[in-house]
Amino acid sequence: MFSGREVEWDASNRIWSWEKNIVYKGKCKDTGEDVAVKQIPYDSSKGKFEGIHPNLIREVTILRRLSPHQYIVQFHNTFCVNDNKRPLWNIVFEYLSCTLKQLIKQKLDPSNVKRLIYQILSGVAHCHSHSVIHRNLNSESILFEENSRRIKIAGFGLSRSCSIPFGVEEKFLKSYSPGVEAADISYQPPEFLLLSENYSLSSDMWSVGCIFAEMARGDVLFEANSCSVSQLSEIFSVLGTPTEADWAGVTSYIGWEEELEALDYNFTSKDLTLEALKAKVPALDVDGMDLLSQMLTYNPSERITAKKALDHAYFKNLDKTEL
Amino acid sequence: EREFGFKKDEDDQSLRNANWFEFKDNRLEAIAWILRNGAAHGFQFRTAYLSITYFDLFLSKRSFKGDQTTWLRTLSVACLSLAAKMEEQRSPLLSEYKVEDCIIEWRWINQMELAVLATLEWRLDSITPFPFIDYFITILKLNQESPSDTKYNR
């Protein structure tokens, strides 16, 4: 267990930053072990005082619940320091030097894609079995440990625990917290983009599908657009415009705009959709395509669950002893 | 510099002299305050329920010195504030909580929030019965509406 006194970090060694949160590379003074220190500054805007930041409470609570696990980033401790008479909170994690995005840039062969997506699904299944929706899965919130060749899911800053231990796959939970719009737009499921109030564990599975495709093709599946309507039309251009038959209620969401309907992406059959997706991800075999299309299903309640995905035929020839 | 480890207090056992009976009336008063103020801020009922859970867990593990009324009021505000931060879309500023018949500084509430977090070892996601009620209502089809519209979830 680490504590504030045992960790030192160098402010110039910034690994990552998002809004006001910054992650530094640090060192444990006793063991010399590298650590990542995420700082959550106290927001003193307009002299308002809200106590401990809700995101900090949620993130630490969730990490306490999920960690340790082989596919979840190891959480060490949280401590508070005094920064110009203001509390500055720190969360200490294990340090991993490589993100999945960097790994994808080096090109992955099909067997590695299979192994890594299996690990990601195992990690996501672990979160989901603990009723935690990650909400910001992308190739930068998944880290890679080079020694063990394992992925570790990180970036739980936007996560949400839904405190129901079973039956959640079929059920939606009302949106609880703002901030989800800060998640990487390329990986956002259509229900987020349509500003649906409901999201569930299956929302993460869309993001996993995007990551799966990204690993197989070596590049982001859906390029990031500046607004949700153009992001949706990007998705529709590959998967076709969803109809009420695919997803009941889709056209009545707040985010549904007339111009989306006017787009000429009305694929008449499922085969055509598969073909368009196949053109984007040519490296995947038949089983892989089937799994991917089940992750990128419009209707959230018909999307494959992480647990079911692990049993998919795509993984039947995977050596599970070498994960 | 301060730290908030997850190690249990060495003298945890000695503190656990269940101040139950001593607090019985005060506890009821605190619960009434939590329910009233939770409703005033438009929180879901489960938020109030969670904060009462924190309140009881904390009291069963810690003792305190000083003025009882102020201390218990501060604890009630801290528990409600923590539960709101876990469950609600928007949590009020500490100064927005209304406390009668004593003056509480926000610094104390903040200190108390930290004390509750440390005592509960940052495990704030205790399972409440409410999602289960909704779940059973859904599967038994007692309510055709969306489960999040049931009165238990408000």
Side-chain angles (χ1 to χ4, degrees), chain A residues 52-53 56-58 60-61 64 78 89, chain B residues 4-6 54 58 62 82 85-86 110-124:
Chain A
I52 305 164
H53 202 285
L56 177 88
I57 298 177
R58 288 180 183 180
V60 175
T61 300
R64 288 283 284 152
T78 181
W89 281 91
Chain B
F4 306 93
F6 302 117
Y54 302 160
F58 187 84
R62 298 289 283 261
L82 286 174
K85 285 171 182 176
M86 283 297 290
N110 191 39
Q111 295 287 324
M112 190 62 89
E113 280 190 338
L114 290 174
V116 174
L117 284 169
T119 307
L120 270 55
E121 299 176 45
W122 291 77
R123 295 191 186 275
L124 294 191

PDB file of all heavy atoms in Angstrom, chain A residues 52-53 56-58 60-61 64 78 89, chain B residues 4-6 54 58 62 82 85-86 110-124:
ATOM      1  N   ILE A  52     -15.550  17.124  -1.406  1.00  0.00           N
ATOM      2  CA  ILE A  52     -14.766  16.213  -2.236  1.00  0.00           C
ATOM      3  C   ILE A  52     -15.466  16.016  -3.581  1.00  0.00           C
ATOM      4  O   ILE A  52     -16.677  15.849  -3.644  1.00  0.00           O
ATOM      5  CB  ILE A  52     -14.580  14.873  -1.514  1.00  0.00           C
ATOM      6  CG1 ILE A  52     -13.954  15.125  -0.142  1.00  0.00           C
ATOM      7  CG2 ILE A  52     -13.701  13.945  -2.321  1.00  0.00           C
ATOM      8  CD1 ILE A  52     -14.071  13.957   0.774  1.00  0.00           C
ATOM      9  N   HIS A  53     -14.706  16.060  -4.638  1.00  0.00           N
ATOM     10  CA  HIS A  53     -15.281  16.003  -5.977  1.00  0.00           C
ATOM     11  C   HIS A  53     -16.010  14.675  -6.240  1.00  0.00           C
ATOM     12  O   HIS A  53     -15.473  13.606  -5.982  1.00  0.00           O
ATOM     13  CB  HIS A  53     -14.162  16.183  -7.005  1.00  0.00           C
ATOM     14  CG  HIS A  53     -14.662  16.660  -8.318  1.00  0.00           C
ATOM     15  ND1 HIS A  53     -15.329  15.821  -9.186  1.00  0.00           N
ATOM     16  CD2 HIS A  53     -14.640  17.874  -8.906  1.00  0.00           C
ATOM     17  CE1 HIS A  53     -15.676  16.516 -10.249  1.00  0.00           C
ATOM     18  NE2 HIS A  53     -15.267  17.766 -10.105  1.00  0.00           N
ATOM     19  N   LEU A  56     -14.128  11.974  -8.100  1.00  0.00           N
ATOM     20  CA  LEU A  56     -13.102  11.282  -7.317  1.00  0.00           C
ATOM     21  C   LEU A  56     -13.742  10.171  -6.493  1.00  0.00           C
ATOM     22  O   LEU A  56     -13.264   9.036  -6.470  1.00  0.00           O
ATOM     23  CB  LEU A  56     -12.371  12.260  -6.396  1.00  0.00           C
ATOM     24  CG  LEU A  56     -11.340  11.589  -5.487  1.00  0.00           C
ATOM     25  CD1 LEU A  56      -9.998  11.485  -6.170  1.00  0.00           C
ATOM     26  CD2 LEU A  56     -11.202  12.306  -4.171  1.00  0.00           C
ATOM     27  N   ILE A  57     -14.863  10.516  -5.834  1.00  0.00           N
ATOM     28  CA  ILE A  57     -15.541   9.532  -4.996  1.00  0.00           C
ATOM     29  C   ILE A  57     -15.974   8.336  -5.829  1.00  0.00           C
ATOM     30  O   ILE A  57     -15.758   7.185  -5.477  1.00  0.00           O
ATOM     31  CB  ILE A  57     -16.757  10.169  -4.285  1.00  0.00           C
ATOM     32  CG1 ILE A  57     -16.287  11.298  -3.374  1.00  0.00           C
ATOM     33  CG2 ILE A  57     -17.526   9.130  -3.498  1.00  0.00           C
ATOM     34  CD1 ILE A  57     -17.409  12.033  -2.691  1.00  0.00           C
ATOM     35  N   ARG A  58     -16.559   8.628  -7.003  1.00  0.00           N
ATOM     36  CA  ARG A  58     -17.040   7.534  -7.854  1.00  0.00           C
ATOM     37  C   ARG A  58     -15.892   6.687  -8.379  1.00  0.00           C
ATOM     38  O   ARG A  58     -15.958   5.467  -8.377  1.00  0.00           O
ATOM     39  CB  ARG A  58     -17.836   8.106  -9.029  1.00  0.00           C
ATOM     40  CG  ARG A  58     -19.173   8.648  -8.577  1.00  0.00           C
ATOM     41  CD  ARG A  58     -19.938   9.208  -9.738  1.00  0.00           C
ATOM     42  NE  ARG A  58     -21.195   9.786  -9.272  1.00  0.00           N
ATOM     43  CZ  ARG A  58     -22.074  10.355 -10.071  1.00  0.00           C
ATOM     44  NH1 ARG A  58     -21.820  10.412 -11.368  1.00  0.00           N
ATOM     45  NH2 ARG A  58     -23.193  10.851  -9.598  1.00  0.00           N
ATOM     46  N   VAL A  60     -12.825   6.244  -7.203  1.00  0.00           N
ATOM     47  CA  VAL A  60     -12.156   5.431  -6.188  1.00  0.00           C
ATOM     48  C   VAL A  60     -13.066   4.295  -5.721  1.00  0.00           C
ATOM     49  O   VAL A  60     -12.630   3.157  -5.556  1.00  0.00           O
ATOM     50  CB  VAL A  60     -11.672   6.297  -5.003  1.00  0.00           C
ATOM     51  CG1 VAL A  60     -11.086   5.433  -3.896  1.00  0.00           C
ATOM     52  CG2 VAL A  60     -10.634   7.297  -5.471  1.00  0.00           C
ATOM     53  N   THR A  61     -14.356   4.585  -5.532  1.00  0.00           N
ATOM     54  CA  THR A  61     -15.294   3.547  -5.117  1.00  0.00           C
ATOM     55  C   THR A  61     -15.315   2.401  -6.136  1.00  0.00           C
ATOM     56  O   THR A  61     -15.282   1.226  -5.775  1.00  0.00           O
ATOM     57  CB  THR A  61     -16.709   4.137  -4.967  1.00  0.00           C
ATOM     58  OG1 THR A  61     -16.665   5.166  -3.990  1.00  0.00           O
ATOM     59  CG2 THR A  61     -17.702   3.094  -4.527  1.00  0.00           C
ATOM     60  N   ARG A  64     -12.050   0.473  -6.067  1.00  0.00           N
ATOM     61  CA  ARG A  64     -12.025  -0.375  -4.873  1.00  0.00           C
ATOM     62  C   ARG A  64     -12.802  -1.657  -5.131  1.00  0.00           C
ATOM     63  O   ARG A  64     -12.486  -2.704  -4.606  1.00  0.00           O
ATOM     64  CB  ARG A  64     -12.666   0.344  -3.687  1.00  0.00           C
ATOM     65  CG  ARG A  64     -11.844   1.460  -3.121  1.00  0.00           C
ATOM     66  CD  ARG A  64     -10.716   0.946  -2.276  1.00  0.00           C
ATOM     67  NE  ARG A  64     -11.142   0.489  -0.962  1.00  0.00           N
ATOM     68  CZ  ARG A  64     -10.509  -0.437  -0.274  1.00  0.00           C
ATOM     69  NH1 ARG A  64      -9.454  -1.022  -0.768  1.00  0.00           N
ATOM     70  NH2 ARG A  64     -10.936  -0.787   0.924  1.00  0.00           N
ATOM     71  N   THR A  78      -5.221   6.616  -2.694  1.00  0.00           N
ATOM     72  CA  THR A  78      -5.559   7.996  -2.996  1.00  0.00           C
ATOM     73  C   THR A  78      -5.138   8.856  -1.810  1.00  0.00           C
ATOM     74  O   THR A  78      -5.202   8.411  -0.667  1.00  0.00           O
ATOM     75  CB  THR A  78      -7.065   8.155  -3.322  1.00  0.00           C
ATOM     76  OG1 THR A  78      -7.317   9.514  -3.636  1.00  0.00           O
ATOM     77  CG2 THR A  78      -7.947   7.729  -2.172  1.00  0.00           C
ATOM     78  N   TRP A  89      -6.244  16.411  -4.941  1.00  0.00           N
ATOM     79  CA  TRP A  89      -6.376  14.960  -4.762  1.00  0.00           C
ATOM     80  C   TRP A  89      -5.569  14.194  -5.790  1.00  0.00           C
ATOM     81  O   TRP A  89      -5.495  14.582  -6.952  1.00  0.00           O
ATOM     82  CB  TRP A  89      -7.846  14.562  -4.860  1.00  0.00           C
ATOM     83  CG  TRP A  89      -8.555  14.846  -3.593  1.00  0.00           C
ATOM     84  CD1 TRP A  89      -9.203  15.989  -3.255  1.00  0.00           C
ATOM     85  CD2 TRP A  89      -8.646  13.973  -2.472  1.00  0.00           C
ATOM     86  NE1 TRP A  89      -9.694  15.892  -1.982  1.00  0.00           N
ATOM     87  CE2 TRP A  89      -9.375  14.668  -1.486  1.00  0.00           C
ATOM     88  CE3 TRP A  89      -8.193  12.684  -2.200  1.00  0.00           C
ATOM     89  CZ2 TRP A  89      -9.663  14.106  -0.255  1.00  0.00           C
ATOM     90  CZ3 TRP A  89      -8.481  12.129  -0.972  1.00  0.00           C
ATOM     91  CH2 TRP A  89      -9.206  12.840  -0.006  1.00  0.00           C
TER      92      TRP A  89
ATOM     93  N   PHE B   4      -5.150   9.099   3.374  1.00  0.00           N
ATOM     94  CA  PHE B   4      -6.349   8.376   3.783  1.00  0.00           C
ATOM     95  C   PHE B   4      -6.215   6.952   3.315  1.00  0.00           C
ATOM     96  O   PHE B   4      -6.661   6.603   2.238  1.00  0.00           O
ATOM     97  CB  PHE B   4      -7.593   9.035   3.220  1.00  0.00           C
ATOM     98  CG  PHE B   4      -7.651  10.473   3.576  1.00  0.00           C
ATOM     99  CD1 PHE B   4      -7.145  11.430   2.728  1.00  0.00           C
ATOM    100  CD2 PHE B   4      -8.134  10.844   4.816  1.00  0.00           C
ATOM    101  CE1 PHE B   4      -7.156  12.754   3.086  1.00  0.00           C
ATOM    102  CE2 PHE B   4      -8.142  12.179   5.172  1.00  0.00           C
ATOM    103  CZ  PHE B   4      -7.662  13.134   4.309  1.00  0.00           C
ATOM    104  N   GLY B   5      -5.537   6.169   4.100  1.00  0.00           N
ATOM    105  CA  GLY B   5      -5.309   4.780   3.712  1.00  0.00           C
ATOM    106  C   GLY B   5      -6.553   3.959   3.934  1.00  0.00           C
ATOM    107  O   GLY B   5      -7.575   4.445   4.414  1.00  0.00           O
ATOM    108  N   PHE B   6      -6.455   2.704   3.557  1.00  0.00           N
ATOM    109  CA  PHE B   6      -7.611   1.832   3.706  1.00  0.00           C
ATOM    110  C   PHE B   6      -7.431   0.871   4.868  1.00  0.00           C
ATOM    111  O   PHE B   6      -8.213  -0.020   5.062  1.00  0.00           O
ATOM    112  CB  PHE B   6      -7.863   1.067   2.415  1.00  0.00           C
ATOM    113  CG  PHE B   6      -8.071   2.006   1.273  1.00  0.00           C
ATOM    114  CD1 PHE B   6      -7.195   2.016   0.216  1.00  0.00           C
ATOM    115  CD2 PHE B   6      -9.121   2.889   1.297  1.00  0.00           C
ATOM    116  CE1 PHE B   6      -7.392   2.901  -0.820  1.00  0.00           C
ATOM    117  CE2 PHE B   6      -9.320   3.773   0.268  1.00  0.00           C
ATOM    118  CZ  PHE B   6      -8.452   3.777  -0.798  1.00  0.00           C
ATOM    119  N   TYR B  54     -24.774   4.907   5.418  1.00  0.00           N
ATOM    120  CA  TYR B  54     -23.455   5.454   5.779  1.00  0.00           C
ATOM    121  C   TYR B  54     -23.461   5.914   7.241  1.00  0.00           C
ATOM    122  O   TYR B  54     -22.513   5.672   7.987  1.00  0.00           O
ATOM    123  CB  TYR B  54     -23.078   6.658   4.902  1.00  0.00           C
ATOM    124  CG  TYR B  54     -23.035   6.432   3.414  1.00  0.00           C
ATOM    125  CD1 TYR B  54     -23.111   7.512   2.540  1.00  0.00           C
ATOM    126  CD2 TYR B  54     -22.904   5.156   2.863  1.00  0.00           C
ATOM    127  CE1 TYR B  54     -23.069   7.335   1.164  1.00  0.00           C
ATOM    128  CE2 TYR B  54     -22.870   4.967   1.489  1.00  0.00           C
ATOM    129  CZ  TYR B  54     -22.957   6.064   0.646  1.00  0.00           C
ATOM    130  OH  TYR B  54     -22.932   5.901  -0.705  1.00  0.00           O
ATOM    131  N   PHE B  58     -21.061   4.366  10.071  1.00  0.00           N
ATOM    132  CA  PHE B  58     -20.081   5.243  10.694  1.00  0.00           C
ATOM    133  C   PHE B  58     -20.234   5.226  12.212  1.00  0.00           C
ATOM    134  O   PHE B  58     -19.269   5.065  12.953  1.00  0.00           O
ATOM    135  CB  PHE B  58     -20.228   6.665  10.153  1.00  0.00           C
ATOM    136  CG  PHE B  58     -19.150   7.596  10.607  1.00  0.00           C
ATOM    137  CD1 PHE B  58     -17.934   7.644   9.944  1.00  0.00           C
ATOM    138  CD2 PHE B  58     -19.339   8.426  11.704  1.00  0.00           C
ATOM    139  CE1 PHE B  58     -16.916   8.490  10.372  1.00  0.00           C
ATOM    140  CE2 PHE B  58     -18.333   9.282  12.138  1.00  0.00           C
ATOM    141  CZ  PHE B  58     -17.122   9.316  11.459  1.00  0.00           C
ATOM    142  N   ARG B  62     -17.218   4.384  14.935  1.00  0.00           N
ATOM    143  CA  ARG B  62     -16.444   5.507  15.476  1.00  0.00           C
ATOM    144  C   ARG B  62     -17.119   6.129  16.687  1.00  0.00           C
ATOM    145  O   ARG B  62     -18.339   6.095  16.824  1.00  0.00           O
ATOM    146  CB  ARG B  62     -16.274   6.597  14.401  1.00  0.00           C
ATOM    147  CG  ARG B  62     -15.523   6.140  13.183  1.00  0.00           C
ATOM    148  CD  ARG B  62     -14.055   5.943  13.488  1.00  0.00           C
ATOM    149  NE  ARG B  62     -13.358   7.203  13.561  1.00  0.00           N
ATOM    150  CZ  ARG B  62     -12.645   7.713  12.564  1.00  0.00           C
ATOM    151  NH1 ARG B  62     -12.526   7.064  11.426  1.00  0.00           N
ATOM    152  NH2 ARG B  62     -12.030   8.859  12.689  1.00  0.00           N
ATOM    153  N   LEU B  82     -22.471  12.866   0.517  1.00  0.00           N
ATOM    154  CA  LEU B  82     -21.744  11.773  -0.143  1.00  0.00           C
ATOM    155  C   LEU B  82     -22.675  10.917  -0.990  1.00  0.00           C
ATOM    156  O   LEU B  82     -22.345  10.551  -2.114  1.00  0.00           O
ATOM    157  CB  LEU B  82     -21.046  10.890   0.904  1.00  0.00           C
ATOM    158  CG  LEU B  82     -19.801  11.468   1.561  1.00  0.00           C
ATOM    159  CD1 LEU B  82     -19.319  10.546   2.675  1.00  0.00           C
ATOM    160  CD2 LEU B  82     -18.687  11.659   0.535  1.00  0.00           C
ATOM    161  N   LYS B  85     -23.540  12.650  -4.143  1.00  0.00           N
ATOM    162  CA  LYS B  85     -22.439  12.632  -5.101  1.00  0.00           C
ATOM    163  C   LYS B  85     -22.335  11.284  -5.805  1.00  0.00           C
ATOM    164  O   LYS B  85     -21.893  11.202  -6.943  1.00  0.00           O
ATOM    165  CB  LYS B  85     -21.123  12.960  -4.394  1.00  0.00           C
ATOM    166  CG  LYS B  85     -21.012  14.437  -4.065  1.00  0.00           C
ATOM    167  CD  LYS B  85     -19.828  14.729  -3.196  1.00  0.00           C
ATOM    168  CE  LYS B  85     -19.807  16.214  -2.863  1.00  0.00           C
ATOM    169  NZ  LYS B  85     -18.723  16.542  -1.927  1.00  0.00           N
ATOM    170  N   MET B  86     -22.739  10.228  -5.104  1.00  0.00           N
ATOM    171  CA  MET B  86     -22.711   8.905  -5.727  1.00  0.00           C
ATOM    172  C   MET B  86     -23.885   8.712  -6.682  1.00  0.00           C
ATOM    173  O   MET B  86     -23.747   8.092  -7.724  1.00  0.00           O
ATOM    174  CB  MET B  86     -22.793   7.806  -4.651  1.00  0.00           C
ATOM    175  CG  MET B  86     -21.505   7.553  -3.913  1.00  0.00           C
ATOM    176  SD  MET B  86     -20.195   6.942  -4.987  1.00  0.00           S
ATOM    177  CE  MET B  86     -20.777   5.281  -5.369  1.00  0.00           C
ATOM    178  N   ASN B 110     -16.667  19.025   5.264  1.00  0.00           N
ATOM    179  CA  ASN B 110     -15.637  18.431   4.424  1.00  0.00           C
ATOM    180  C   ASN B 110     -14.787  17.438   5.218  1.00  0.00           C
ATOM    181  O   ASN B 110     -14.505  16.334   4.758  1.00  0.00           O
ATOM    182  CB  ASN B 110     -14.763  19.549   3.849  1.00  0.00           C
ATOM    183  CG  ASN B 110     -13.841  19.031   2.773  1.00  0.00           C
ATOM    184  OD1 ASN B 110     -14.245  18.196   1.976  1.00  0.00           O
ATOM    185  ND2 ASN B 110     -12.616  19.490   2.767  1.00  0.00           N
ATOM    186  N   GLN B 111     -14.397  17.817   6.439  1.00  0.00           N
ATOM    187  CA  GLN B 111     -13.636  16.920   7.306  1.00  0.00           C
ATOM    188  C   GLN B 111     -14.430  15.643   7.570  1.00  0.00           C
ATOM    189  O   GLN B 111     -13.892  14.549   7.555  1.00  0.00           O
ATOM    190  CB  GLN B 111     -13.364  17.595   8.668  1.00  0.00           C
ATOM    191  CG  GLN B 111     -12.486  18.813   8.594  1.00  0.00           C
ATOM    192  CD  GLN B 111     -11.055  18.434   8.315  1.00  0.00           C
ATOM    193  OE1 GLN B 111     -10.602  17.409   8.795  1.00  0.00           O
ATOM    194  NE2 GLN B 111     -10.368  19.242   7.524  1.00  0.00           N
ATOM    195  N   MET B 112     -15.730  15.849   7.787  1.00  0.00           N
ATOM    196  CA  MET B 112     -16.581  14.699   8.102  1.00  0.00           C
ATOM    197  C   MET B 112     -16.729  13.784   6.891  1.00  0.00           C
ATOM    198  O   MET B 112     -16.727  12.566   7.028  1.00  0.00           O
ATOM    199  CB  MET B 112     -17.946  15.198   8.600  1.00  0.00           C
ATOM    200  CG  MET B 112     -18.808  14.118   9.184  1.00  0.00           C
ATOM    201  SD  MET B 112     -18.100  13.325  10.634  1.00  0.00           S
ATOM    202  CE  MET B 112     -18.738  14.376  11.946  1.00  0.00           C
ATOM    203  N   GLU B 113     -16.848  14.393   5.703  1.00  0.00           N
ATOM    204  CA  GLU B 113     -16.896  13.579   4.482  1.00  0.00           C
ATOM    205  C   GLU B 113     -15.671  12.666   4.413  1.00  0.00           C
ATOM    206  O   GLU B 113     -15.786  11.474   4.120  1.00  0.00           O
ATOM    207  CB  GLU B 113     -16.909  14.475   3.230  1.00  0.00           C
ATOM    208  CG  GLU B 113     -18.257  15.068   2.867  1.00  0.00           C
ATOM    209  CD  GLU B 113     -18.240  15.740   1.484  1.00  0.00           C
ATOM    210  OE1 GLU B 113     -17.153  16.106   0.993  1.00  0.00           O
ATOM    211  OE2 GLU B 113     -19.306  15.891   0.902  1.00  0.00           O
ATOM    212  N   LEU B 114     -14.518  13.257   4.689  1.00  0.00           N
ATOM    213  CA  LEU B 114     -13.272  12.479   4.654  1.00  0.00           C
ATOM    214  C   LEU B 114     -13.281  11.374   5.701  1.00  0.00           C
ATOM    215  O   LEU B 114     -12.875  10.241   5.434  1.00  0.00           O
ATOM    216  CB  LEU B 114     -12.067  13.394   4.902  1.00  0.00           C
ATOM    217  CG  LEU B 114     -11.740  14.360   3.781  1.00  0.00           C
ATOM    218  CD1 LEU B 114     -10.620  15.292   4.217  1.00  0.00           C
ATOM    219  CD2 LEU B 114     -11.332  13.596   2.542  1.00  0.00           C
ATOM    220  N   ALA B 115     -13.765  11.722   6.899  1.00  0.00           N
ATOM    221  CA  ALA B 115     -13.812  10.732   7.972  1.00  0.00           C
ATOM    222  C   ALA B 115     -14.727   9.571   7.602  1.00  0.00           C
ATOM    223  O   ALA B 115     -14.414   8.404   7.846  1.00  0.00           O
ATOM    224  CB  ALA B 115     -14.279  11.393   9.260  1.00  0.00           C
ATOM    225  N   VAL B 116     -15.880   9.899   6.965  1.00  0.00           N
ATOM    226  CA  VAL B 116     -16.819   8.840   6.568  1.00  0.00           C
ATOM    227  C   VAL B 116     -16.178   7.970   5.490  1.00  0.00           C
ATOM    228  O   VAL B 116     -16.212   6.734   5.564  1.00  0.00           O
ATOM    229  CB  VAL B 116     -18.161   9.430   6.076  1.00  0.00           C
ATOM    230  CG1 VAL B 116     -19.069   8.343   5.518  1.00  0.00           C
ATOM    231  CG2 VAL B 116     -18.870  10.163   7.207  1.00  0.00           C
ATOM    232  N   LEU B 117     -15.551   8.608   4.487  1.00  0.00           N
ATOM    233  CA  LEU B 117     -14.896   7.847   3.425  1.00  0.00           C
ATOM    234  C   LEU B 117     -13.841   6.911   3.990  1.00  0.00           C
ATOM    235  O   LEU B 117     -13.764   5.742   3.621  1.00  0.00           O
ATOM    236  CB  LEU B 117     -14.249   8.803   2.408  1.00  0.00           C
ATOM    237  CG  LEU B 117     -15.208   9.495   1.450  1.00  0.00           C
ATOM    238  CD1 LEU B 117     -14.486  10.593   0.687  1.00  0.00           C
ATOM    239  CD2 LEU B 117     -15.806   8.499   0.468  1.00  0.00           C
ATOM    240  N   ALA B 118     -13.019   7.428   4.920  1.00  0.00           N
ATOM    241  CA  ALA B 118     -11.954   6.611   5.496  1.00  0.00           C
ATOM    242  C   ALA B 118     -12.537   5.470   6.322  1.00  0.00           C
ATOM    243  O   ALA B 118     -12.087   4.337   6.231  1.00  0.00           O
ATOM    244  CB  ALA B 118     -11.031   7.476   6.345  1.00  0.00           C
ATOM    245  N   THR B 119     -13.576   5.773   7.101  1.00  0.00           N
ATOM    246  CA  THR B 119     -14.161   4.741   7.955  1.00  0.00           C
ATOM    247  C   THR B 119     -14.837   3.650   7.132  1.00  0.00           C
ATOM    248  O   THR B 119     -14.740   2.469   7.438  1.00  0.00           O
ATOM    249  CB  THR B 119     -15.186   5.372   8.922  1.00  0.00           C
ATOM    250  OG1 THR B 119     -14.551   6.433   9.610  1.00  0.00           O
ATOM    251  CG2 THR B 119     -15.715   4.356   9.905  1.00  0.00           C
ATOM    252  N   LEU B 120     -15.516   4.063   6.060  1.00  0.00           N
ATOM    253  CA  LEU B 120     -16.167   3.086   5.194  1.00  0.00           C
ATOM    254  C   LEU B 120     -15.182   2.521   4.159  1.00  0.00           C
ATOM    255  O   LEU B 120     -15.573   1.779   3.263  1.00  0.00           O
ATOM    256  CB  LEU B 120     -17.373   3.710   4.472  1.00  0.00           C
ATOM    257  CG  LEU B 120     -18.723   3.608   5.175  1.00  0.00           C
ATOM    258  CD1 LEU B 120     -18.675   4.184   6.578  1.00  0.00           C
ATOM    259  CD2 LEU B 120     -19.808   4.306   4.382  1.00  0.00           C
ATOM    260  N   GLU B 121     -13.930   2.906   4.284  1.00  0.00           N
ATOM    261  CA  GLU B 121     -12.875   2.464   3.367  1.00  0.00           C
ATOM    262  C   GLU B 121     -13.240   2.699   1.901  1.00  0.00           C
ATOM    263  O   GLU B 121     -12.987   1.887   1.040  1.00  0.00           O
ATOM    264  CB  GLU B 121     -12.541   0.986   3.603  1.00  0.00           C
ATOM    265  CG  GLU B 121     -12.033   0.742   5.023  1.00  0.00           C
ATOM    266  CD  GLU B 121     -11.797  -0.736   5.296  1.00  0.00           C
ATOM    267  OE1 GLU B 121     -11.219  -1.387   4.433  1.00  0.00           O
ATOM    268  OE2 GLU B 121     -12.227  -1.201   6.352  1.00  0.00           O
ATOM    269  N   TRP B 122     -13.894   3.806   1.637  1.00  0.00           N
ATOM    270  CA  TRP B 122     -14.288   4.233   0.292  1.00  0.00           C
ATOM    271  C   TRP B 122     -15.222   3.241  -0.388  1.00  0.00           C
ATOM    272  O   TRP B 122     -15.320   3.217  -1.604  1.00  0.00           O
ATOM    273  CB  TRP B 122     -13.055   4.471  -0.608  1.00  0.00           C
ATOM    274  CG  TRP B 122     -12.242   5.648  -0.207  1.00  0.00           C
ATOM    275  CD1 TRP B 122     -11.378   5.704   0.836  1.00  0.00           C
ATOM    276  CD2 TRP B 122     -12.185   6.943  -0.831  1.00  0.00           C
ATOM    277  NE1 TRP B 122     -10.798   6.954   0.898  1.00  0.00           N
ATOM    278  CE2 TRP B 122     -11.257   7.723  -0.113  1.00  0.00           C
ATOM    279  CE3 TRP B 122     -12.839   7.500  -1.941  1.00  0.00           C
ATOM    280  CZ2 TRP B 122     -10.960   9.035  -0.455  1.00  0.00           C
ATOM    281  CZ3 TRP B 122     -12.529   8.801  -2.283  1.00  0.00           C
ATOM    282  CH2 TRP B 122     -11.598   9.571  -1.543  1.00  0.00           C
ATOM    283  N   ARG B 123     -15.871   2.422   0.381  1.00  0.00           N
ATOM    284  CA  ARG B 123     -16.838   1.508  -0.244  1.00  0.00           C
ATOM    285  C   ARG B 123     -18.223   2.116  -0.067  1.00  0.00           C
ATOM    286  O   ARG B 123     -18.925   1.833   0.880  1.00  0.00           O
ATOM    287  CB  ARG B 123     -16.770   0.128   0.406  1.00  0.00           C
ATOM    288  CG  ARG B 123     -15.439  -0.561   0.181  1.00  0.00           C
ATOM    289  CD  ARG B 123     -15.515  -2.016   0.603  1.00  0.00           C
ATOM    290  NE  ARG B 123     -14.227  -2.658   0.530  1.00  0.00           N
ATOM    291  CZ  ARG B 123     -13.733  -3.194  -0.578  1.00  0.00           C
ATOM    292  NH1 ARG B 123     -14.442  -3.187  -1.683  1.00  0.00           N
ATOM    293  NH2 ARG B 123     -12.540  -3.749  -0.579  1.00  0.00           N
ATOM    294  N   LEU B 124     -18.594   2.960  -1.015  1.00  0.00           N
ATOM    295  CA  LEU B 124     -19.852   3.698  -0.880  1.00  0.00           C
ATOM    296  C   LEU B 124     -20.966   3.081  -1.707  1.00  0.00           C
ATOM    297  O   LEU B 124     -22.073   3.585  -1.727  1.00  0.00           O
ATOM    298  CB  LEU B 124     -19.669   5.148  -1.338  1.00  0.00           C
ATOM    299  CG  LEU B 124     -18.744   6.024  -0.508  1.00  0.00           C
ATOM    300  CD1 LEU B 124     -18.891   7.461  -0.924  1.00  0.00           C
ATOM    301  CD2 LEU B 124     -19.014   5.884   0.977  1.00  0.00           C
TER     302      LEU B 124
END
